[in-house]
Amino acid sequence: MTPLFSSIFAASLLVIQTGGAGDFTSVRPIEGYKCFRVYIPEERRFDRSAVPPVFAAPTEASKLIGHSGGAAFVKWPLNDVDGFVEIIWGGRGIKAWIHKDVLRPWRTKWTPPGPASECVPTLMSNGMIGIGNAIPYKHQ
């Protein structure tokens, strides 16, 4: 998979996770969370069963509440419990847990440099959480 196609695919997963595009704007960053990419092996990118599960507690025995998108908003500093890390998940920002081994740094060698390519967990004007970037917050 080419880096460009991989980036487009990841962006489409982000739109799915954050509820799609619409008429809303970034309000403020969500303090105490950091963006990570969710890793899915390249050969399984279109296999829905490969999308990592999200749990209500740090154990697979807990309730499965859904599946991750292309990004995870990870509690920072990291809250690691038995191989799971705390995240906020879904458009409403539900506290959840994901296996830490599926997380990768947000920036990669293919990420263009600069603040526009940064991922900032953000409260949006529609009350949902989403991905902002560093640009709107530089002047506040």
Side-chain angles (χ1 to χ4, degrees):
M1 183 177 295
T2 66
L4 175 61
F5 183 75
S6 183
S7 298
I8 292 169
F9 180 73
S12 67
L13 287 176
L14 297 176
V15 170
I16 291 168
Q17 179 178 344
T18 58
D23 268 344
F24 50 88
T25 59
S26 300
V27 174
R28 64 175 171 77
I30 301 171
E31 299 297 326
Y33 288 87
K34 185 175 178 180
C35 287
F36 280 78
R37 285 184 309 114
V38 176
Y39 174 74
I40 300 172
E42 190 169 321
E43 65 276 4
R44 299 192 65 201
R45 293 230 192 253
F46 296 105
D47 177 359
R48 290 184 61 85
S49 70
V51 180
V54 174
F55 297 96
T59 173
E60 287 187 2
S62 70
K63 180 181 176 186
L64 173 69
I65 59 173
H67 290 83
S68 70
F73 300 150
V74 177
K75 179 77 172 156
W76 202 260
L78 201 62
N79 183 11
D80 181 350
V81 178
D82 298 327
F84 287 83
V85 294
E86 182 181 341
I87 63 173
I88 52 174
W89 176 81
R92 299 281 179 219
I94 299 167
K95 179 180 172 180
W97 298 83
I98 192 168
H99 284 279
K100 75 176 181 180
D101 60 350
V102 302
L103 299 175
R104 302 291 185 274
W106 180 256
R107 299 198 41 89
T108 70
K109 64 182 179 180
W110 296 295
T111 308
S117 63
E118 295 295 323
C119 172
V120 177
T122 303
L123 176 65
M124 308 305 279
S125 61
N126 64 356
M128 307 276 280
I129 62 170
I131 295 177
N133 62 41
I135 292 172
Y137 311 115
K138 291 286 187 197
H139 304 293
Q140 292 183 349

